[in-house]
């Protein structure tokens, strides 16, 4: 253990941590709290580390960085997560204490947008279901699988036209979809139709794509009323956070055919996924894989490492 | 049977035929040769129809319109297929006899292009495999599925930059892919890099998308040499015709990891699909579903009906 190196308290740990540790062990002393069952103060004791000497946290949604954790580390100056969202970090408490919060920002937006479009196309064209069908047929019959529907001309309502939502819109415009959106504020730089009310957006959409962050305001932004407004031909894609949708109602709507299908990369209570979804052919599940390509991992490590470098050298 | 109505000899039949017949039974007398085991002349006898009174054929790839068939119908003036390709029709013989051949032309191009992109994304991001993984896991673990790779920045070689290939290019440009192509001739109206040689195209591509018609020149245009040039990280998508690829070699390359994956909507000997493909996680199969949405069916019926109307009223 080289006590000259700055300490990084690792919570979670992030999925990229193995990669990160192997690349940066010459730069940081890793305090791998995630590998201990001890409460944080006792864990730090075992590392001969005083809480006041911990200035940086590397974390992931697997373990929340609560106000209690933050207050227990009086010198904390930076909390970095290898995710786009920061809903597992008490950002309000960080703000109050002048602690910098580093997220992945925009560099994963194209990858998450790709995932959104991939899930939409898959549900719309029944790709996974068709693949399942083709692979289990003893007599493979071309044209024998129930048809999907066209993507061109479909009205796609994007909830959250931020970095990810904007990239989703760009991609779906190339498929000749009609883009509309809801977000906190109207974006004057785009010509897409804005709806201040999510029910109105759903009533006028064939597809809803959820790309917004999870906050107190956006929890259950897609509730039963929104799903019924979307209607029987409607498809929901969620690449934001599970709790943007009332998942129990979503399962009911999918089972009863009150909406047509869903493509889900995120779930309300990960790692628990409603078992009812497993047998539904109109649902495509993805194991929160929106940005877990190796390219993304490398980018994430570099981004976080740069932030730590800047912090420790300032 | 209303003998006043013009006769349509139906071979195949096209998948849309039920829909077509129900919409146009007031306009045409349908000679459903596909439902009889008799040779064509005898079948026509049972319909009290002289071969010389048959002026129009409606067909599909399920049954070839050979030179023999064409020559046995001396008044034949139009052959319509509800597909984009016409490789099941002896078009040379039609040309010699001044017989009009009607295919679906460009209106299905966007749908087939959508399918090409859908298959590519699915293989690249492992959507079907991820869905399978998620649905069979007792303990669903987010981020536990092996990662796919980014679509942005990938070099996509399109073989056949016609109506479908052009639509594929348009869509993949929105994903920030780099487009290059091979076709019979360089297209001066596009700025994509042209390769006159398919092996060179493959060497410089991460992905090959096959969108060209099947002809004597394009049969096995993707052979083993092309696949080896594409290499271990390469993906092949085929929405053209199965025989554009040497399928036996494709199966070998996929099983040995000599290419990374494939998305296949068409097969060399439909309805026979190599069983080896069924268990490969790096292969996404689609039951020749590129344009089998209900919207497409309606469009196809209308297009063919218009052609027959114009023919019989001229």
């Amino acid at each position: 253990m080289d006590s000259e190196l700055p300490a990084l308290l690792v919570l979670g740990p992030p999925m990229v941590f193995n990669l990160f540790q192997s690349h940066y062990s010459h730069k940081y002393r890793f305090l791998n709290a995630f590998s201990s069952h001890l409460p944080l103060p006792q864990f730090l004791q075992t590392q001969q580390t005083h809480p006041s000497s911990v200035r940086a946290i590397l974390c992931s949604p697997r373990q929340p960085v609560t106000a209690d954790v933050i207050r227990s580390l009086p010198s904390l100056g930076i909390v970095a997560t290898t995710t786009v969202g920061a809903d597992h970090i008490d950002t309000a408490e960080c703000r109050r204490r002048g602690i910098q919060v580093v997220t992945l920002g925009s560099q994963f937006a194209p990858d998450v947008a790709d995932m959104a479009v991939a899930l939409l196309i898959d549900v719309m064209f029944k790709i996974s279901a068709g693949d399942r069908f083709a692979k289990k047929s003893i007599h493979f019959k071309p044209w024998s699988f129930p048809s999907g529907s066209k993507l061109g001309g479909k009205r796609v309502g994007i909830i959250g036209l931020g970095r990810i939502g904007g990239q989703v819109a760009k991609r779906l415009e190339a498929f000749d979809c009609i883009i509309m959106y809801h977000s906190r504020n109207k974006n004057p730089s785009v010509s897409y139709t804005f709806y201040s009310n999510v029910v109105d957006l759903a009533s006028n959409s064939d597809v809803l794509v959820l790309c917004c962050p999870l906050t107190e305001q956006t929890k259950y932004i897609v509730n039963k009323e929104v799903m019924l407004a979307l209607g029987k031909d409607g498809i929901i894609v969620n690449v934001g956070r599970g709790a943007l949708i009332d998942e129990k109602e979503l399962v009911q709507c999918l089972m009863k055919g009150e909406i047509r299908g869903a493509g889900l990369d995120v779930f309300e209570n990960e790692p628990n996924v409603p078992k009812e979804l497993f047998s539904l052919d109109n649902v495509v599940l993805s194991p929160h894989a929106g940005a877990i390509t190796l390219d993304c991992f490398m980018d994430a490590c570099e981004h976080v490492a740069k932030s730590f470098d800047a912090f420790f050298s300032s």
Side-chain angles (χ1 to χ4, degrees), chain A:
Chain A
M1 193 192 308
D2 185 344
S3 59
E4 299 289 308
L5 296 177
L8 275 192
L9 177 64
V10 185
L11 303 175
M15 198 176 27
V16 299
F17 181 61
N18 284 344
L19 195 66
F20 189 87
Q21 190 169 28
S22 70
H23 272 62
Y24 299 106
S25 58
H26 63 290
K27 281 193 159 179
Y28 305 110
R29 184 162 62 93
F30 292 103
L31 303 172
N32 293 344
F34 63 86
S35 63
S36 164
H37 292 291
L38 295 172
L40 186 55
Q42 285 88 318
F43 166 75
L44 290 176
Q45 270 183 356
T46 67
Q47 305 291 303
Q48 291 102 47
T49 302
H50 194 272
S52 66
S53 67
V54 176
R55 298 176 60 207
I57 288 178
L58 175 62
C59 68
S60 84
R62 296 177 189 186
Q63 194 174 350
V65 179
T66 60
D68 280 349
V69 170
I70 294 166
R71 286 175 201 144
S72 72
L73 303 167
S75 307
L76 188 64
I78 182 170
V79 178
T81 176
T82 54
T83 52
V84 177
D87 45 285
H88 53 292
I89 302 168
D90 189 331
T91 49
E93 184 66 19
C94 289
R95 215 167 19 245
R96 271 191 291 277
R97 292 173 171 263
I99 296 167
Q100 183 188 352
V101 175
V102 174
T103 66
L104 285 184
S106 60
Q107 68 261 53
F108 280 5
D111 303 280
V112 180
D114 283 358
M115 177 57 81
V117 176
L119 289 172
L120 172 55
I121 289 185
D122 198 310
V123 175
M124 189 73 94
F125 285 4
K126 305 185 181 180
I127 301 287
S128 290
D131 180 64
R132 241 186 336 266
F133 170 83
K135 286 180 175 170
K136 79 180 172 201
S137 303
I138 298 171
H139 301 290
F140 177 95
K141 287 187 194 165
W143 306 296
S144 52
F145 187 68
S147 68
S149 60
K150 284 171 96 86
L151 191 51
K154 290 289 185 295
R155 300 163 304 165
V156 178
I158 297 177
I159 299 180
L161 198 72
R163 292 173 294 213
I164 295 170
Q167 293 281 330
V168 170
K170 173 187 164 195
R171 284 156 177 69
L172 290 177
E173 277 196 288
F175 288 87
D176 300 321
C177 294
I178 301 154
I179 309 294
M180 41 198 73
Y181 72 107
H182 164 83
S183 61
R184 273 171 306 179
N185 303 300
K186 193 172 188 308
N187 180 340
S189 69
V190 299
S191 59
Y192 313 133
T193 304
F194 170 72
Y195 287 88
S196 59
N197 180 300
V198 179
V199 174
D200 292 343
L201 177 72
S203 303
N204 288 288
S205 296
D206 300 305
V207 174
L208 288 180
V209 181
L210 281 82
C211 307
C212 59
L214 178 63
T215 64
E216 278 176 31
Q217 288 73 42
T218 62
K219 186 172 181 190
Y220 289 180
I221 192 168
V222 172
N223 56 22
K224 187 172 182 182
E225 187 188 3
V226 171
M227 291 184 236
L228 295 181
L230 181 63
K232 288 184 193 306
D233 287 325
I235 291 173
I236 293 176
V237 171
N238 191 2
V239 292
R241 282 287 178 269
L244 295 172
I245 307 182
D246 184 336
E247 198 172 72
K248 272 189 193 156
E249 291 295 347
L250 175 68
V251 169
Q252 287 303 309
C253 284
L254 285 165
M255 291 179 72
K256 292 178 183 166
E258 283 168 353
I259 64 171
R260 181 168 134 204
L264 306 171
D265 191 38
V266 287
F267 304 91
E268 192 170 342
N269 299 304
E270 294 178 15
N272 299 312
V273 175
K275 296 287 177 285
E276 296 92 331
L277 296 179
F278 289 15
S279 58
L280 292 177
D281 240 18
N282 57 338
V283 177
V284 180
L285 305 181
S286 169
H288 203 145
I292 64 160
T293 67
L294 189 58
D295 314 316
C296 289
F297 282 12
M298 295 302 297
D299 290 350
C301 287
E302 277 177 33
H303 177 74
V304 167
K306 272 185 199 164
S307 304
F308 284 133
D309 281 357
F311 172 76
F312 284 115
S313 63
S314 67

